[in-house]
């Protein structure tokens, strides 16, 4: 059987569209190419709303370009998948069909449960002996799963990503209570309480980066970065301060990412409190 060589993965997310090219299915695959375009599909799909024509065309152009890059790199296999925004939008089939027509490649719109499973498998790739809870934060949704003795269970998803929360509006009454109730709907607190937690996703990584800067941590490696929750809370409070959004330049984080971080920081505070977490481990591994 011929082994796969280079593999291209195109992730159509709620907050961005990313292409990653790996040097084959190895135990620790090498990144050959990594590109991301911020594109907030999740802001359009709320409540099953359809993508407008301009959005469908714009996304298909991005995918066409990514596919052209892959083919120029002589990649043996290209995989395209979509997550929460494509799950929600009433006309995501139109986007999927346009991509298939232009590239001859199908798009796998994965369920929230499958997204949680893939995220947990990504954690096991980076931490083969990992046990505990995984939390994968995207633009629209957040996924949870439990890992025990190499097995992944209790895969669930909730529309609690920063874009989903922002769409509720600043004047939404009882936001914290709403977040807690949605978390308790998808997390088995008894099985998750006091367990190690592994954090996946761009907003979580940005929070880790800010904490490293504030504490003058000597390394810049996110993978495996472990923090006590009581120490991280000071950084979460800093991010939620009203002046934070004026400081993204000095934090070396894009404005597109920074504006989502106060909501993400509040979500993480609530997760820490509800699960009584003592320490958190950040990961650069995940679904892809």
């Amino acid at each position: 059987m011929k082994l796969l060589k280079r593999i291209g993965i195109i992730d159509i997310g709620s907050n961005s569209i990313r292409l990653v090219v790996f040097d084959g299915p190895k135990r620790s695959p090498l990144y050959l190419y990594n590109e991301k375009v911020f594109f907030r599909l999740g802001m359009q799909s709320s409540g099953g709303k359809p993508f407008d024509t301009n959005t469908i065309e714009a996304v298909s152009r991005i995918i066409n370009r990514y596919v052209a890059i892959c083919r120029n790199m002589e990649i043996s296999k290209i995989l395209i998948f979509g997550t929460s925004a494509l799950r929600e939008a009433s006309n995501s089939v139109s986007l999927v069909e346009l991509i298939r027509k232009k590239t001859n490649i199908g798009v796998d719109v994965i369920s929230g449960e499958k997204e949680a499973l893939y995220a947990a498998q990504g954690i096991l790739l980076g931490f083969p002996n990992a046990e505990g809870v995984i939390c994968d934060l995207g633009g629209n949704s957040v996924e949870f799963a439990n890992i025990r003795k190499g097995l992944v269970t209790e895969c669930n998803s909730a529309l609690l990503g920063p874009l989903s929360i922002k769409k509720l509006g600043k004047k939404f009454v009882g936001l914290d209570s709403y977040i807690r109730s949605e978390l308790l709907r998808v997390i088995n607190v008894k099985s998750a309480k006091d367990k190690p937690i592994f954090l996946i996703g761009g907003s979580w990584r940005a929070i880790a980066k800010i904490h490293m800067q504030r504490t003058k941590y000597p390394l810049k490696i996110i993978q495996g970065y472990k923090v006590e929750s009581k120490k991280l809370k000071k950084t979460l409070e800093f991010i939620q301060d009203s002046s934070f959004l004026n400081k993204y330049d000095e934090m070396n984080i894009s404005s597109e990412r920074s504006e989502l971080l106060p909501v993400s920081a509040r979500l993480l505070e609530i997760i820490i409190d509800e699960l009584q977490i003592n320490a958190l481990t950040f990961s650069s591994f995940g679904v892809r």
Side-chain angles (χ1 to χ4, degrees), residues 164-269:
S164 293
I165 294 174
K166 283 176 71 70
K167 283 182 286 190
L168 294 173
K170 293 181 179 180
K171 296 181 180 180
F172 183 83
V173 177
L175 180 59
D176 283 6
S177 296
Y178 172 78
I179 292 172
R180 286 190 172 89
S181 66
E182 287 298 293
L183 285 175
L184 294 176
R185 184 179 61 80
V186 295
I187 300 177
N188 183 335
V189 174
K190 288 184 179 180
S191 64
K193 187 177 176 181
D194 294 327
K195 296 286 179 63
I197 188 166
F198 298 88
L199 301 179
I200 306 161
S203 289
W204 291 158
R205 291 193 297 272
I207 288 173
K209 183 177 179 180
I210 293 169
H211 186 73
M212 287 175 168
Q213 291 173 343
R214 285 171 52 80
T215 59
K216 295 181 171 55
Y217 187 72
L219 302 178
K220 304 299 180 185
I221 301 171
I222 300 295
Q223 174 65 14
Y225 182 56
K226 189 174 182 179
V227 186
E228 292 180 14
S229 56
K230 62 182 179 181
K231 293 181 179 179
L232 184 65
K233 278 196 169 184
K234 293 181 180 179
T235 295
L236 298 179
E237 291 170 1
F238 165 76
I239 292 171
Q240 293 175 79
D241 185 87
S242 59
S243 64
F244 168 75
L245 292 180
N246 297 322
K247 301 177 180 178
Y248 67 86
D249 278 336
E250 63 188 73
M251 293 286 108
N252 195 25
I253 292 172
S254 68
S255 59
E256 292 91 345
R257 177 69 66 192
S258 293
E259 66 181 78
L260 299 181
L261 290 186
V263 173
S264 301
R266 183 58 191 143
L267 174 64
L268 187 52
E269 273 192 328

Side-chain angles (χ1 to χ4, degrees), residues 22 31 34 122-123 126-127 199-201 205 221-225 281-288:
F22 295 99
Y31 286 73
N34 191 341
I123 288 295
F127 307 95
L199 301 179
I200 306 161
R205 291 193 297 272
I221 301 171
I222 300 295
Q223 174 65 14
Y225 182 56
T281 299
F282 293 87
S283 178
S284 55
F285 288 71
V287 174
R288 288 180 296 276

